Amino acid sequence: MVEDDYIDPGFFNTSKDSSQEHKHFVQFRNFFLPCVYVVVFICGLLGNSLVLIIYIFYQKLKSLTDVFLVNLPLADLVFVCTLPFWAYAGIHEWIFGNFVCKTLLGIYTLNFYTSMLILTCITVDRFIAVVQATKAHNQQAKRMTWGKVICLSVWAISLLVSLPQIIYGNVSHFNKSICDYHDDTIFTVVLATQMTLGFFLPLLAMIVCYSVIVKTLLHARGFQKHKSLKIIFLVVAVFLLTQTPFNMVKLIRSTNWEYHTMTSFDYAITVTEAIAYLRACLNPVLYAFVSLKFRRNFWKLVKDIGCLPYLGASSQWKSSEDTSKTYSASHNVEATSMIQL
């Protein structure tokens, strides 16, 4: 027998095991991702819609932070509205056509970049409001104008870097029809853009700005200091826990094409991507509900819609409590009170 004609009997078993593992992964993904999509859609829709309603009808846009906190839930809201389509396609197949495929891929990517860049803007805004509190207060009108320009620029830049998904997004037909983006010629550029704008830039801004903010607050006096520090650490921790795993797995996978054939990496990508989507649910809590003013307006909304009339006394109690806290806060240093947490 010629040596080249010899085939290891274990080859067939290995191939069979690999095929079985992939089959199990497909079953897991088709069940897991749609469930995550539905949960994120419901929670993100309720939370972000509530933030928008309160800011538009109750709180108004009185500061630069308010401008950013309207654009952030708007981006997250549009993002979560694409999830039912992906959930249906995960359970069945893509039936919505090529145009909708390109559109939803573009919307998904556009709002991903917008959300991350707005988070960066909020971080820098908080840095200026605390570290340069007097200057920020005196130039509030000017900062409002610049804030609106910045937000328009963020949406424009996000649309620009989303063009590859819009142009190269397509419906592919394998075992079933899927809507996907894949183009080897610009894959590296797209991945580098996603990693830079969608992870490293917000992370760097948080590390630098919040480090200086923490140092400033530690030298401040007043009861709000410890609460502010806790919220800062919570914001950074949530960002790291939700965004780091997915980005690291993507980065590692891009270094070697062999990783694309490993089922373990398929599981890692699927699970970490689902975790990353949780930001759309958590952003309203981290960036809006922690504000005393926002919570007061929330109770006004509850009272106005009449869903919980028996909470009238409770809401009055909360209002008086908030008033007391606000009065106490006015005696703190300006740097501490300027940060809108």
Side-chain angles (χ1 to χ4, degrees):
M1 182 171 59
V2 181
E3 186 175 352
D4 290 342
D5 291 335
Y6 175 74
I7 300 177
D8 184 358
F11 171 81
F12 296 104
N13 292 332
T14 303
S15 178
K16 184 177 179 181
D17 291 342
S18 178
S19 176
Q20 194 71 16
E21 284 182 7
H22 182 72
K23 183 179 179 181
H24 289 157
F25 163 72
V26 171
Q27 291 174 344
F28 166 78
R29 182 188 60 193
N30 291 346
F31 171 78
F32 177 73
L33 281 183
C35 292
V36 172
Y37 291 158
V38 170
V39 171
V40 174
F41 169 71
I42 295 173
C43 296
L45 183 66
L46 292 175
N48 289 291
S49 297
L50 185 60
V51 172
L52 283 176
I53 290 171
I54 290 176
Y55 267 100
I56 292 172
F57 295 103
Y58 289 86
Q59 200 150 316
K60 311 298 181 182
L61 303 183
K62 297 179 180 178
S63 68
L64 178 57
T65 303
D66 292 337
V67 174
F68 290 141
L69 288 180
V70 165
N71 281 267
L72 180 62
L74 179 61
D76 287 337
L77 184 62
V78 178
F79 164 75
V80 299
C81 286
T82 67
L83 295 180
F85 293 90
W86 305 118
Y88 181 89
I91 298 172
H92 303 286
E93 64 176 348
W94 188 263
I95 62 169
F96 307 106
N98 200 48
F99 176 77
V100 177
C101 172
K102 288 178 177 288
T103 302
L104 290 184
L105 279 174
I107 291 174
Y108 168 88
T109 312
L110 167 68
N111 290 282
F112 164 75
Y113 284 123
T114 302
S115 181
M116 289 304 173
L117 290 176
I118 292 294
L119 287 180
T120 306
C121 292
I122 291 173
T123 302
V124 176
D125 174 56
R126 286 179 169 177
F127 169 81
I128 295 172
V130 174
V131 179
Q132 300 177 353
T134 304
K135 183 179 179 181
H137 181 71
N138 294 336
Q139 298 181 351
Q140 192 164 351
K142 186 177 180 180
R143 292 177 73 235
M144 278 284 288
T145 303
W146 273 107
K148 294 174 183 179
V149 173
I150 290 171
C151 287
L152 288 175
S153 301
V154 164
W155 285 95
I157 293 170
S158 300
L159 178 61
L160 182 64
V161 294
S162 301
L163 288 179
Q165 275 76 9
I166 299 173
I167 296 171
Y168 296 102
N170 211 342
V171 178
S172 304
H173 303 279
F174 297 102
N175 295 330
K176 63 178 185 178
S177 297
I178 61 171
C179 173
D180 199 8
Y181 154 80
H182 186 73
D183 187 84
D184 295 337
T185 57
I186 59 171
F187 172 79
T188 304
V189 176
V190 171
L191 180 64
T193 305
Q194 289 177 344
M195 296 295 295
T196 302
L197 297 182
F199 180 68
F200 287 116
L201 180 62
L203 180 62
L204 180 63
M206 286 185 178
I207 291 174
V208 174
C209 293
Y210 284 139
S211 295
V212 179
I213 289 173
V214 167
K215 183 178 179 181
T216 303
L217 290 177
L218 287 175
H219 290 87
R221 298 172 63 186
F223 84 96
Q224 277 192 327
K225 175 176 66 175
H226 298 297
K227 179 185 176 183
S228 299
L229 291 175
K230 288 178 182 178
I231 294 172
I232 288 171
F233 289 130
L234 183 62
V235 167
V236 176
V238 168
F239 182 85
L240 289 174
L241 291 175
T242 58
Q243 303 305 311
T244 303
F246 182 48
N247 283 278
M248 289 299 101
V249 171
K250 281 199 304 183
L251 187 61
I252 294 171
R253 197 178 195 183
S254 67
T255 60
N256 194 326
W257 283 103
E258 289 184 3
Y259 291 132
H260 287 263
T261 63
M262 296 173 61
T263 307
S264 58
F265 263 84
D266 292 332
Y267 278 104
I269 286 285
T270 301
V271 174
T272 55
E273 183 179 11
I275 294 172
Y277 287 166
L278 294 177
R279 65 180 170 78
C281 305
L282 297 174
N283 281 344
V285 178
L286 291 175
Y287 294 93
F289 277 95
V290 293
S291 167
L292 291 176
K293 182 169 64 174
F294 184 90
R295 291 204 300 271
R296 283 200 301 270
N297 288 324
F298 169 74
W299 285 109
K300 288 180 184 177
L301 174 63
V302 170
K303 185 178 180 180
D304 288 348
I305 61 179
C307 289
L308 301 172
Y310 58 88
L311 283 180
S314 177
S315 63
Q316 291 177 1
W317 176 81
K318 287 181 177 292
S319 178
S320 63
E321 181 189 36
D322 290 340
T323 303
S324 175
K325 289 181 178 179
T326 305
Y327 174 79
S328 300
S330 65
H331 295 280
N332 295 332
V333 295
E334 189 174 17
T336 309
S337 61
M338 280 296 292
I339 186 168
Q340 300 193 29
L341 291 173

